[in-house]
Amino acid sequence: MQTSKWQLTRFAIVYLSGQSTMFLAPGIIEASGYQGWIGIIAGCALAMIPLFFTVQVGRMRPGTGWIDFGAEIMGKWLHRLMVILLLCWCVYYASYDIENFVLFFGANYLRGTPPLFIQIVIGLVIIYTAQLGVTSIVYMSDGISLIFIFSFILSIYLFVQHANFAMLPAFIHYHDPRLISNDAVTVMSWLSEWVVLLFIVPEFKISKSTMKRLAVAGVAVMLLVLLSWLMTLLNFGVYLSKELKFPYLQLVRSSSNDDLLGNSDPILIGFWSSSMFIHSAFLIFVAGKCAAYLTGQRAKKLLVPALTVCSITIAFLYSRHLAKYDQDYYAFSTVLFWLIVECIPVYYFIVAVIRMKLGKQGLQGRGK
């Protein structure tokens, strides 16, 4: 795979921004109102910690995926346990993506359509994209990244015209350390999905500058989330914003119907949908790699469809119990589970360093 220096950065921006730009702002506004900007910035800073350890683990064996040499660090059975944990997380997270698609398009564009039908169609697209492999997924994200960022910034510029800037003083007059810390941990869980990048290490050369380029991606996503949160709050106020399920779409629809913004929602939603498909497909791709490792590379062609069916099943169960879905989606227990999985590189790096200091066999042959 031919790669450029900033290709991984562009992929990370598209991968991380699909969920966070659309769904993170309402939760932050509901949790802490005007002081949410502090939690967003602090959460981004905390997300750099898993990123650092992910890069360090990725550099341990250049050209070799973490899943192939992880047993040499943790031991065979503990490594398999970590792989199972990551597999379950990917399938579960993909079900959230699918259900978000159902809620969004079912409520706005496909009213009356059975949720299962939408889930199956989305699942087929995810299966096809995931089976294309990491090279195709990265190239697809490379193609839409700059357009995605440009369209988002353009929409923010148009939203500014209707913003109520009289609210700005409230941003510096409300401070609750407890709420800020909760927001920071929540945002960290949304922006710390770096562990999945360990599965494209064989395709990319991980160098000292990789950390800087991925940090740029993290900051870029943070700015997109911050702008989304800010424009939602300035356009709808703190009380109405809490009640909005899809504030970004409401911002588009609240504009005049005959101006540029009023007619741009199909384009903006199209770019967002593309980023969500890339997010879901890459999660299933990672899950497929985990399942192939656990099954000894048997029935590889059936793994991606089977895992996608699992995600569809979970999404279908959530569509029948939306209150449970809303509760789980923003629950702090979900945040903690996300962080446990996203910190997997931290565990491996610490164990590797301890073993090296104890003079034991580092990355040579252990767990084979």
Side-chain angles (χ1 to χ4, degrees):
M1 176 180 177
Q2 295 182 348
T3 61
S4 62
K5 291 183 178 180
W6 292 95
Q7 193 166 28
L8 190 56
T9 303
R10 294 190 289 269
F11 169 76
I13 291 175
V14 174
Y15 175 81
L16 290 173
S17 59
Q19 279 266 6
S20 56
T21 53
M22 183 67 74
F23 301 107
L24 180 54
I28 296 298
I29 292 175
E30 182 176 2
S32 56
Y34 294 112
Q35 60 186 342
W37 65 275
I38 307 176
I40 293 174
I41 296 174
C44 176
L46 291 174
M48 296 297 109
I49 299 174
L51 171 60
F52 171 80
F53 288 103
T54 300
V55 173
Q56 296 305 312
V57 172
R59 294 181 61 192
M60 288 181 178
R61 282 284 186 87
T64 304
W66 156 82
I67 198 170
D68 295 319
F69 70 82
E72 301 175 17
I73 301 175
M74 283 289 199
K76 179 180 178 180
W77 294 108
L78 189 54
H79 178 60
R80 291 177 70 88
L81 179 62
M82 291 293 178
V83 173
I84 292 173
L85 184 64
L86 183 60
L87 167 63
C88 296
W89 177 76
C90 289
V91 172
Y92 189 42
Y93 203 173
S95 72
Y96 275 170
D97 285 355
I98 295 171
E99 182 59 16
N100 283 334
F101 270 115
V102 172
L103 293 176
F104 183 83
F105 287 102
N108 297 287
Y109 299 106
L110 299 172
R111 295 181 179 178
T113 306
L116 184 59
F117 175 79
I118 303 175
Q119 290 160 353
I120 291 175
V121 172
I122 294 171
L124 292 174
V125 177
I126 292 174
I127 291 172
Y128 175 75
T129 307
Q131 288 185 328
L132 291 176
V134 64
T135 301
S136 298
I137 295 175
V138 171
Y139 276 129
M140 281 189 288
S141 65
D142 210 26
I144 71 170
S145 59
L146 296 179
I147 302 176
F148 175 84
I149 295 174
F150 174 77
S151 63
F152 193 90
I153 293 175
L154 175 62
S155 64
I156 293 297
Y157 168 75
L158 296 172
F159 294 149
V160 167
Q161 302 176 20
H162 306 282
N164 180 13
F165 291 100
M167 298 183 190
L168 290 178
F171 294 170
I172 59 175
H173 291 148
Y174 293 92
H175 301 95
D176 185 333
R178 183 182 61 84
L179 293 179
I180 292 173
S181 60
N182 288 341
D183 285 347
V185 173
T186 299
V187 173
M188 179 187 179
S189 70
W190 284 68
L191 303 184
S192 297
E193 297 177 45
W194 306 108
V195 62
V196 297
L197 297 184
L198 293 174
F199 289 81
I200 58 178
V201 166
E203 306 293 339
F204 285 85
K205 181 180 179 181
I206 305 299
S207 62
K208 294 181 179 179
S209 60
T210 301
M211 175 66 190
K212 297 179 181 179
R213 296 193 183 103
L214 291 177
V216 169
V219 172
V221 175
M222 182 269 292
L223 291 175
L224 294 177
V225 173
L226 188 61
L227 288 172
S228 176
W229 170 87
L230 180 63
M231 289 300 102
T232 301
L233 204 57
L234 294 182
N235 277 267
F236 296 112
V238 68
Y239 298 107
L240 180 57
S241 297
K242 296 178 182 179
E243 305 299 325
L244 298 177
K245 185 67 176 178
F246 307 108
Y248 191 77
L249 181 63
Q250 296 298 330
L251 284 170
V252 175
R253 290 180 170 179
S254 65
S255 62
S256 174
N257 292 327
D258 57 355
D259 62 6
L260 175 63
L261 181 60
N263 293 284
S264 64
D265 60 307
I267 299 175
L268 299 176
I269 299 306
F271 287 131
W272 168 77
S273 300
S274 300
S275 68
M276 285 286 287
F277 275 122
I278 288 174
H279 186 268
S280 305
F282 192 67
L283 285 173
I284 294 298
F285 167 80
V286 171
K289 288 292 186 181
C290 293
Y293 172 82
L294 294 170
T295 59
Q297 307 297 325
R298 290 187 293 271
K300 292 178 62 176
K301 293 184 179 180
L302 299 177
L303 294 177
V304 167
L307 293 170
T308 306
V309 169
C310 292
S311 295
I312 292 174
T313 302
I314 298 173
F316 176 72
L317 294 175
Y318 269 136
S319 67
R320 295 172 61 89
H321 305 280
L322 292 179
K324 178 64 175 174
Y325 166 78
D326 289 332
Q327 178 183 351
D328 291 347
Y329 193 71
Y330 292 106
F332 198 71
S333 58
T334 302
V335 171
L336 293 179
F337 175 59
W338 253 235
L339 289 176
I340 290 172
V341 176
E342 291 164 350
C343 288
I344 284 177
V346 180
Y347 315 145
Y348 280 78
F349 182 82
I350 292 175
V351 172
V353 170
I354 292 175
R355 294 182 60 193
M356 290 176 61
K357 288 190 176 295
L358 293 177
K360 293 185 177 180
Q361 201 173 5
L363 297 178
Q364 302 296 324
R366 174 110 175 161
K368 289 184 179 179

